[in-house]
């Protein structure tokens, strides 16, 4: 069984991505990050998701991106609320975390090389997303080229790294439908950027709006617990 590192945040996309990797026959090693995010409920969701799947190992790395700040997810900047879908895709929002996917994928590369794995799965999406530059196909293609120049195992010809992005051209509704087809229980997942003290979703941040729109468009009930 081929080994694969799967980045698991605990959200809809990464959970579906993990289900796809398992469906394709990979032995999954789940990788999550405690990066000082204000929505720490996603780490508990990641633990729930990983427990529900037969993963080989789950590694949670502490990466203090909150020490750098610059994002509403890692500092005291206010999380935007009630933004129209059209506006989300017209600008890079303050919830963008500087270099987050570059940092995460670099650490995934290190673990992959240690394990002798040549495959990494990440649930980035270039359609229903909030304008993040590190979710675009050209970014992933560039990172994959860099990866094969950077690792000893690649340079010496033992592995060729591939970054899998099975969701990148799918809408949120298509992602949800695919997850349901693969038996994903989305009640395990967490999407909200600004949950209340009881970890209930706000229903108004970009991530909540995209999630609700996706479930509505898929004609599937959203199991999320929203704050009153």
């Amino acid at each position: 069984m081929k080994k694969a590192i799967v980045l698991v945040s605990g959200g809809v996309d990464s959970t579906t991505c993990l289900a796809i990797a398992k469906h394709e026959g990979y032995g999954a090693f789940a990788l999550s990050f405690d990066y000082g995010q204000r929505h720490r409920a996603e780490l508990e969701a990641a633990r729930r998701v990983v427990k529900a799947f037969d993963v080989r190992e789950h590694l949670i790395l502490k990466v203090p991106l909150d020490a750098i700040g610059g994002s509403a997810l890692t500092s005291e900047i206010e999380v935007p609320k009630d933004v129209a879908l059209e506006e989300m895709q017209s600008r890079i929002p303050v919830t963008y975390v500087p270099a987050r996917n570059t940092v995460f994928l670099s650490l995934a590369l290190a673990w992959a090389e240690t394990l002798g794995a040549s495959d990494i799965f990440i649930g980035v999406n270039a359609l229903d997303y909030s304008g993040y530059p590190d979710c675009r196909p050209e970014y992933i293609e560039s990172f994959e080229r860099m990866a094969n120049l950077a690792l000893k195992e690649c340079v010496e010809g033992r592995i060729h790294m591939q970054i899998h992005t099975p969701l990148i051209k799918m809408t949120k509704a298509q992602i949800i439908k695919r997850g349901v087809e693969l038996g994903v229980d989305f009640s395990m997942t967490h999407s909200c950027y600004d949950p209340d003290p009881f970890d209930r979703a706000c229903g108004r941040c970009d991530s909540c709006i995209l999630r609700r729109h996706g479930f509505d468009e898929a004609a599937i009930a959203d199991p999320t617990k929203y704050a009153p």
Side-chain angles (χ1 to χ4, degrees):
M1 182 180 289
K2 289 186 70 176
K3 300 174 183 176
I5 309 299
V6 184
L7 275 65
V8 179
S9 70
V12 166
D13 296 349
S14 71
T15 302
T16 303
C17 193
L18 175 58
I20 289 171
K22 292 289 298 179
H23 180 72
E24 293 182 359
Y26 286 89
F29 290 76
L31 181 58
S32 304
F33 296 94
D34 178 354
Y35 61 95
Q37 62 269 53
R38 68 194 300 161
H39 55 309
R40 296 183 61 80
E42 72 171 12
L43 286 173
E44 290 306 314
R47 291 186 179 96
R48 290 193 297 269
V49 167
V50 166
K51 188 176 180 180
F53 287 88
D54 183 23
V55 302
R56 307 280 285 274
E57 186 177 346
H58 184 205
L59 183 62
I60 301 177
L61 294 180
K62 190 168 182 61
V63 183
L65 295 182
D66 56 327
I68 296 172
S71 168
L73 302 189
T74 57
S75 69
E76 296 304 313
I77 299 172
E78 188 175 349
V79 173
K81 301 287 177 67
D82 304 318
V83 178
L85 287 169
E86 299 76 19
E87 186 181 343
M88 287 183 200
Q89 298 182 354
S90 67
R91 84 290 190 259
I92 299 174
V94 294
T95 51
Y96 161 72
V97 180
R100 179 176 60 180
N101 280 349
T102 302
V103 172
F104 289 0
L105 283 170
S106 296
L107 291 168
L109 280 182
W111 197 21
E113 184 170 35
T114 301
L115 294 172
S118 59
D119 298 274
I120 294 172
F121 281 76
I122 181 171
V124 293
N125 173 260
L127 294 181
D128 286 347
Y129 76 118
S130 292
Y132 299 144
D134 51 4
C135 289
R136 297 172 299 160
E138 52 267 42
Y139 165 78
I140 296 296
E141 291 162 8
S142 179
F143 190 96
E144 184 176 286
R145 288 196 300 273
M146 181 278 297
N148 283 290
L149 294 171
L151 301 184
K152 176 188 175 192
E153 292 294 295
C154 295
V155 172
E156 294 182 348
R158 282 183 285 276
I159 62 174
H160 179 83
M161 289 303 308
Q162 184 173 357
I163 312 296
H164 298 261
T165 56
L167 315 181
I168 202 159
K169 295 182 179 180
M170 297 170 69
T171 66
K172 188 69 75 176
Q174 290 170 332
I175 292 167
I176 290 166
K177 286 180 179 179
R178 183 60 178 144
V180 170
E181 288 171 2
L182 295 174
V184 172
D185 175 5
F186 284 114
S187 69
M188 300 184 295
T189 65
H190 177 90
S191 300
C192 182
Y193 289 153
D194 195 22
D196 73 4
F198 304 100
D199 291 338
R200 294 176 300 189
C202 73
R204 299 172 55 209
C205 68
D206 288 5
S207 189
C208 280
I209 291 169
L210 287 168
R211 179 184 178 117
R212 295 176 89 159
H213 178 72
F215 275 99
D216 286 346
E217 203 171 50
I220 294 170
D222 181 2
T224 303
K225 292 181 179 178
Y226 290 99

